[in-house]
Amino acid sequence: MSVKKALQRWLPPHWSLQGKIFIAFGLVTLLAIVSVSGIVYMNMRDTIKRNAVQSVSDSIRQADESLNVMLDEIDRLNTLAATSDTVIRSIQSPNEEISYEWFQEQKRVTEYLSGLILYKPYIRRIAVVGLNGKVFFTGEPWLDRTVLNTPMMEYMLSNGSQHAYYRESSGGDAIVVGRELRYNRKTIGVVMVDLNADFLKKTFGVKPTADSLLYVLDEQNGEVYRSDLPDSEVSTVETSPSDAPSPGTGPSMDTIVSLKTELSGRGEAVERRIGGKSYIVVSRLSANTGWTTLALIPMDSLLSESTRIRNLMLEVSIVVFAVVLIGSLQVSSRTTLNIRRLKSMMMQVKDGNLAFPRNEIRSKDEIGELYRVFVSMVDDLNRLMEGVRVSEKEKREAELTALQAQIRPHFLYNSLNTIKYLAKLNGVPNIEEVSGSLIELLRSVLGNSSEFLTVKEELDYVNSYVSIAKYKFIEPIRIDTLIEDEALLHCRVPKLTLQPLVENAIVHGIGPTGRGGSVQIRVYEEDRDLKIEVTDNGQGMPQEKADGLLGETGRHSLRSRFGGMGVRSAHERIVRIYGESYGLKLYSEPGLYTKAELRFPKLPPAGTQAI
């Protein structure tokens, strides 16, 4: 009852229908916009945070997997180099520098190392450093025996029993993966592969927001990678955990190491306040390298994105509400206008005026339907009279068509026989031949109502057509028929499928050349199917055009001038009757030939069974 009273208070009965519709639309729209906006805004922060955490976690996992793939490959290369007889013999050989034997060793080892890193752009350099001072390497930068006295060499000798990772800041800021080179259980050198730092940066380029931070720490809490420092400021693996970055570069290393220790690479996300700012911290521990990746996402960046979306939603809501109000005003006005018009027309009919406007209400709603029902009551008589008029017109057209069809084929036969007889009496054999061939053509088209003919009947039909068509050309046109098996002449094929191909070969293939030519018709069996080929030596055409003849619309396809059955139509009839496995294919070379290939199922004559 309270809802009913509220509706009566907001929508008084004395209000117009337009006013009621307008107020109802506005209230419903406002309630919907406020409810949806409130729910969306309440869940927006949690959704953005979950999405950010999920995105960063997936990106870190993918980056770690990509790095592990590269490091596994580098470990494999280190193992190959460390166990290579070529490398071991060259390290232990007594050959001194600037000698022919020394140059040969350099060449062999360098070629071997180059082959190992071929097509591996993420490897900058591979080197073999012997404790006796011999150095073999390929790649950049240059390396000589002075590397023996560097901290990197000491680190490799101390930790390289399997593999050791070392971060250097000089020479391009690369990660060096090293392994001891041993012979007879004694260390004789080190194999080192430099991983290009550019690939590391691309791999760990994970930044959901512009000010997000990402750190990669090794097992000794040394900094491997950080996203907020330029290349020249990235520390080596031996950087002390207590080193703090310059102002404005993010949390100190003490804080980062503390977060690493706290999370222990559990792969979870926590919220922490660092340096007066709130961060979402996502961690991951690599099982392969032992490195820990920490991603710090500032909460204020996520909240600013939330605020931007909230403001955008507010603007969109205001625009939508305004549009709905305008639309409701137009709808209510339009609806009541049609009702008023319908009322006016009904009053005119009441007064006996049936010539009222019929096209005023064109809407498809209930008002429009009511108008159409009302008008249909008045228009019934007119529609009935119009139907009678149309029926009479169609009846007269049908009678005319039937009258035209009364010209029987035998009348044409008799007329042509008369022409043939007169030509024979007057000694005009060409007219006699043409009229006789035309008689056979008409008998095949008009006198035979069967949908199928034998191959022999089709060939006779083609010969009759050629007897007529050859007089159009000055140069002779030869028709060659090759029948591989006489039994194939009795197979049934759809009527009027061969003549359009022969006509097309003569008119469009040989005719334009002006030099005569030949058309070969070959009938043979292939894979228990009947195949008929029509090949001419005319002007040919590009294969694209030949393919297009079967793909054009019917009104553009080449049509037979006599039978009216075009090349495309013949193909479509065969496909429609027998399926997609059968039909017509065209092959052509410009200036050489055109070949049309028909494929039918091998059907015996009517009244017999297939063998």
Side-chain angles (χ1 to χ4, degrees):
M1 293 299 294
S2 59
V3 175
K4 182 178 180 181
K5 291 181 179 179
L7 291 176
Q8 290 178 350
R9 185 173 65 253
W10 284 98
L11 302 174
H14 62 273
W15 277 17
S16 65
L17 182 60
Q18 179 180 356
K20 293 178 180 180
I21 294 176
F22 178 76
I23 294 298
F25 266 76
L27 291 177
V28 172
T29 303
L30 181 62
L31 178 62
I33 290 176
V34 170
S35 300
V36 172
S37 300
I39 294 174
V40 171
Y41 183 71
M42 290 175 58
N43 292 277
M44 185 180 301
R45 295 185 178 183
D46 291 339
T47 301
I48 292 177
K49 186 172 69 173
R50 286 196 303 270
N51 290 342
V53 170
Q54 184 64 40
S55 176
V56 171
S57 299
D58 292 343
S59 299
I60 292 176
R61 176 182 55 78
Q62 293 175 3
D64 181 60
E65 291 174 354
S66 299
L67 181 62
N68 288 339
V69 170
M70 290 188 288
L71 293 178
D72 288 342
E73 179 64 15
I74 290 175
D75 286 342
R76 188 183 68 84
L77 296 180
N78 278 340
T79 301
L80 290 176
T83 57
S84 171
D85 292 338
T86 301
V87 174
I88 294 175
R89 286 197 303 267
S90 298
I91 289 292
Q92 292 182 317
S93 71
N95 298 325
E96 299 293 335
E97 293 187 6
I98 319 301
S99 65
Y100 176 78
E101 291 78 7
W102 178 81
F103 277 113
Q104 291 297 319
E105 289 177 355
Q106 286 282 342
K107 180 180 179 181
R108 285 194 303 271
V109 177
T110 302
E111 289 178 351
Y112 175 76
L113 297 179
S114 298
L116 292 180
I117 65 172
L118 187 63
Y119 304 120
K120 297 178 177 61
Y122 53 87
I123 297 178
R124 187 180 67 173
R125 180 184 65 192
I126 182 170
V128 177
V129 180
L131 297 183
N132 57 4
K134 286 192 175 184
V135 178
F136 306 95
F137 74 95
T138 181
E140 295 180 350
W142 181 266
L143 191 68
D144 55 26
R145 64 177 59 190
T146 58
V147 72
L148 292 172
N149 299 322
T150 60
M152 178 179 66
M153 193 66 180
E154 296 177 1
Y155 182 83
M156 293 296 175
L157 292 174
S158 301
N159 302 277
S161 58
Q162 291 297 326
H163 56 255
Y165 302 114
Y166 186 86
R167 180 74 163 180
E168 62 173 354
S169 58
S170 62
D173 189 23
I175 293 180
V176 181
V177 182
R179 174 175 178 164
E180 289 181 341
L181 182 62
R182 303 176 65 86
Y183 182 76
N184 289 337
R185 300 183 179 181
K186 293 183 180 181
T187 301
I188 62 174
V190 175
V191 180
M192 298 183 295
V193 177
D194 292 13
L195 175 63
N196 197 324
D198 291 336
F199 281 88
L200 188 65
K201 294 174 183 178
K202 293 178 182 178
T203 302
F204 285 99
V206 181
K207 298 194 71 174
T209 61
D211 54 353
S212 297
L213 306 175
L214 189 135
Y215 298 84
V216 180
L217 305 180
D218 63 9
E219 294 177 316
Q220 291 77 34
N221 296 330
E223 182 181 296
V224 177
Y225 171 79
R226 64 187 302 168
S227 62
D228 61 327
L229 289 178
D231 295 343
S232 60
E233 298 182 20
V234 179
S235 304
T236 65
V237 172
E238 291 78 26
T239 301
S240 173
S242 63
D243 291 343
S246 58
T249 59
S252 65
M253 283 303 299
D254 286 337
T255 304
I256 299 302
V257 172
S258 175
L259 288 173
K260 173 197 170 186
T261 304
E262 176 185 354
L263 299 177
S264 301
R266 294 193 298 268
E268 61 185 27
V270 297
E271 292 188 22
R272 291 291 182 269
R273 192 166 185 84
I274 304 172
K277 294 180 63 176
S278 295
Y279 291 89
I280 296 178
V281 183
V282 181
S283 69
R284 176 181 174 84
L285 176 63
S286 173
N288 188 22
T289 61
W291 296 350
T292 300
T293 304
L294 295 173
L296 281 68
I297 310 170
M299 287 292 295
D300 54 357
S301 296
L302 297 180
L303 294 179
S304 65
E305 184 70 13
S306 173
T307 302
R308 187 186 68 82
I309 297 177
R310 180 196 62 191
N311 295 336
L312 179 61
M313 290 179 56
L314 181 60
E315 295 173 0
V316 171
S317 299
I318 294 174
V319 172
V320 170
F321 185 64
V323 170
V324 170
L325 288 181
I326 296 174
S328 64
L329 181 61
Q330 294 295 325
V331 170
S332 61
S333 175
R334 180 69 177 176
T335 302
T336 55
L337 176 62
N338 290 337
I339 292 177
R340 292 194 297 270
R341 289 178 177 175
L342 183 59
K343 177 183 176 182
S344 175
M345 288 184 286
M346 289 181 176
M347 296 302 295
Q348 293 184 45
V349 174
K350 177 183 177 183
D351 296 336
N353 182 14
L354 300 180
F356 57 88
R358 305 295 177 88
N359 299 322
E360 291 190 10
I361 301 178
R362 300 174 181 174
S363 62
K364 297 183 179 180
D365 55 9
E366 289 80 359
I367 304 301
E369 184 66 23
L370 182 61
Y371 166 77
R372 286 184 287 274
V373 171
F374 172 71
V375 171
S376 66
M377 295 170 57
V378 181
D379 290 342
D380 282 343
L381 182 59
N382 290 332
R383 285 197 298 271
L384 180 59
M385 296 178 61
E386 180 68 16
V388 172
R389 186 185 66 82
V390 172
S391 298
E392 289 296 327
K393 181 180 178 181
E394 293 177 350
K395 180 179 179 181
R396 290 194 298 270
E397 292 177 351
E399 290 174 351
L400 179 59
T401 302
L403 182 61
Q404 293 173 348
Q406 290 178 359
I407 302 177
R408 300 298 181 182
H410 72 267
F411 175 76
L412 296 177
Y413 299 155
N414 294 336
S415 299
L416 290 172
N417 275 321
T418 302
I419 295 173
K420 179 180 178 181
Y421 177 72
L422 292 176
K424 184 176 181 180
L425 290 179
N426 290 276
V428 187
N430 52 355
I431 296 179
E432 179 184 1
E433 181 182 6
V434 170
S435 59
S437 299
L438 184 56
I439 290 173
E440 294 302 323
L441 285 177
L442 291 175
R443 182 175 289 110
S444 298
V445 174
L446 302 177
N448 190 345
S449 60
S450 175
E451 185 179 1
F452 296 90
L453 297 176
T454 64
V455 176
K456 183 178 184 305
E457 291 172 333
E458 276 289 291
L459 291 174
D460 292 340
Y461 182 34
V462 169
N463 291 330
S464 298
Y465 166 76
V466 173
S467 297
I468 299 173
K470 68 182 180 180
Y471 288 101
K472 179 181 177 182
F473 305 98
I474 298 177
E475 298 296 332
I477 298 177
R478 188 176 73 256
I479 304 296
D480 298 325
T481 303
L482 302 178
I483 309 298
E484 294 192 0
D485 186 355
E486 294 294 330
L488 298 177
L489 293 176
H490 303 289
C491 293
R492 290 180 296 145
V493 295
K495 183 179 181 181
L496 296 176
T497 53
L498 187 56
Q499 182 271 337
L501 303 183
V502 176
E503 179 179 349
N504 186 63
I506 295 175
V507 175
H508 300 284
I510 298 175
T513 63
R515 54 177 171 78
S518 64
V519 178
Q520 183 186 77
I521 303 175
R522 180 188 174 202
V523 182
Y524 62 99
E525 179 181 352
E526 181 181 280
D527 298 332
R528 303 182 66 84
D529 287 334
L530 172 65
K531 297 190 70 175
I532 302 178
E533 293 181 356
V534 178
T535 307
D536 67 82
N537 60 351
Q539 65 178 359
M541 57 182 154
Q543 187 62 40
E544 294 78 7
K545 183 177 180 181
D547 296 337
L549 290 179
L550 301 180
E552 296 172 339
T553 59
R555 62 189 184 94
H556 294 297
S557 60
L558 299 178
R559 298 181 62 82
S560 169
R561 298 179 180 181
F562 182 83
M565 186 62 64
V567 174
R568 173 182 165 87
S569 299
H571 170 68
E572 291 177 346
R573 288 179 62 217
I574 298 172
V575 172
R576 185 169 58 252
I577 295 173
Y578 301 119
E580 296 291 340
S581 300
Y582 302 94
L584 172 64
K585 293 183 180 180
L586 294 176
Y587 307 93
S588 184
E589 288 289 340
L592 296 177
Y593 73 94
T594 298
K595 181 172 73 173
E597 180 183 278
L598 288 169
R599 177 183 287 271
F600 307 93
K602 185 181 177 183
L603 299 179
T608 62
Q609 295 183 349
I611 298 176

